[in-house]
Amino acid sequence: MHLAAHFPGVNATTVWADPRSRSQIDFSSFVHLARTAERGKFDFFFLAEGLRLREHNGRIHDLDVVGRPESLTVLSALAAVTERLGLAATVNATFNEPYELARRLATLDHLSEGRAAWNVVTSSDAFTGENFRRGGYLDRAERYTRAAEFVATARELWDSWTPDGASRPFAHEGEQFTISGEFTVPRSPQGHPVVIQAGDSGEGREFAASAADIIFTRHGTLEAGRAFYADVKARLAAYGREPDDLKIMPGVTVVVGDTDAEAQERAYEIRRQQVSPQNALLAAEQLWGRDLSAYDPDGPLPEVDPVVDSGLVKGRVLHGDPFAVVARWRAVAEAKGLSLRQTVIETTTRQSFIGSPRTVAAELTAFVDERAADGFILVPHLTPGGLDDFVDRVVPLLQESGAFRSEYSGSTLRSHLGLAEPVWKG
């Protein structure tokens, strides 16, 4: 099993009101979580990215993290205070250029002695695009076209240095990029940094099958995980790749207690903290596309229909047809007699694995054994101590059963993941 740690940031999981919650900017927070993950022999530490502060009804969404440090800078600093842990940065392929990003990633791979990874994301968000000179955004289909050529171009740059340290000129001419020259950074310890793709769409799955080493996904049940796993692994052969060439790692949350019952109680309290009355209204406004401040979060759901593309919420991605989601919320609320806030808790927040340490270890192992995942990216609800319980109480059981490593067997992220160094294509 492979394990990674996601630093809590802009998401509905993080509980900022908890008195144990600390800064998301102070370097000490990054150090704490990274060292905890390395103590647990995790494969890598994962940072998300936000290129613009999200807005809600014309104001900065004040329940989000206000500010997000740049990922590669943070990871470069963490390279100095960790030894084996992989360091994964989310960097947008829509608003960056291959030469500069390939250079920064190769530098991180050198600084960390072979532990760098790049989570490739794209954007079709004009709101975010306003921050950049090029402005605007790419159509959904085009953004994956650009991302695929971006990754291929970066690999050409990394391969412009031979394994024995000789530099060769590069020249790339394509639909998205036409560049030539000489790359400034010698071939790095991994050859190429590990490439991660985050996405569940058909385009995302195909892109991962063609170009990624890891796919960061989400699926809530064993059955859904097995279906996703089988679909993505089946796509690899078309690109001359083997099933083990791509690791499938869903993002998950975990709540551990002394007993299963205690863990369930803790999980319910965490969900109540995640969905305060204010958060419940904001979640509903995102779905309805309307100002719902006049509604009581402890009252019934709004009776009005959603407004599509209202512009009330900017910088957030709405998953699914709002009319269909509202219909599902109403059905759940009616069937269970739930208020608006209770409905939001029921439909939007659910810990993936809840139980005693032994229960959680057994369920994680079952997902891997039954080919629903190759491992997991853990998303804790607290910054920065949210992984402490898992590493102290669950990891030893996984090690005892042989499901997870007791020690690192190599020094690079590729060695942790069981991935071969890419063949040089000079």
Side-chain angles (χ1 to χ4, degrees), residues 190-208:
Q190 294 187 108
H192 301 168
V194 169
V195 172
I196 306 170
Q197 153 67 10
D200 286 343
S201 67
E203 300 104 313
R205 297 182 192 202
E206 201 65 28
F207 178 47

Side-chain angles (χ1 to χ4, degrees), residues 44-61:
F44 61 93
F45 174 92
F46 181 88
L47 282 178
E49 179 177 70
L51 295 179
R52 181 163 181 174
L53 296 178
R54 302 188 288 194
E55 293 183 8
H56 192 104
N57 203 12
R59 299 174 56 195
I60 296 298
H61 182 42

Side-chain angles (χ1 to χ4, degrees), residues 14-93:
T14 308
V15 177
W16 298 111
D18 191 296
R20 294 169 295 173
S21 182
R22 297 291 182 264
S23 171
Q24 82 287 352
I25 293 178
D26 288 351
F27 187 55
S28 60
S29 291
F30 295 103
V31 171
H32 181 106
L33 193 74
R35 284 181 168 167
T36 301
E38 188 163 70
R39 177 164 57 83
K41 313 304 179 187
F42 277 38
D43 292 62
F44 61 93
F45 174 92
F46 181 88
L47 282 178
E49 179 177 70
L51 295 179
R52 181 163 181 174
L53 296 178
R54 302 188 288 194
E55 293 183 8
H56 192 104
N57 203 12
R59 299 174 56 195
I60 296 298
H61 182 42
D62 62 1
L63 295 178
D64 266 355
V65 175
V66 179
R68 175 73 67 82
E70 195 276 321
S71 297
L72 283 166
T73 306
V74 173
L75 295 179
S76 295
L78 287 177
V81 296
T82 55
E83 296 180 354
R84 299 289 187 90
L85 184 70
L87 303 168
T90 301
V91 188
N92 196 300

Side-chain angles (χ1 to χ4, degrees), residues 85-100:
L85 184 70
L87 303 168
T90 301
V91 188
N92 196 300
T94 304
F95 301 119
N96 282 283
E97 297 298 324
Y99 184 90
E100 176 59 19

Side-chain angles (χ1 to χ4, degrees), residues 222-223 225-227 229 362-373:
L222 183 64
E223 294 75 17
R226 292 180 67 184
Y229 190 97
E363 290 181 352
L364 290 169
T365 303
F367 261 70
V368 175
D369 288 347
E370 298 190 34
R371 298 189 176 185

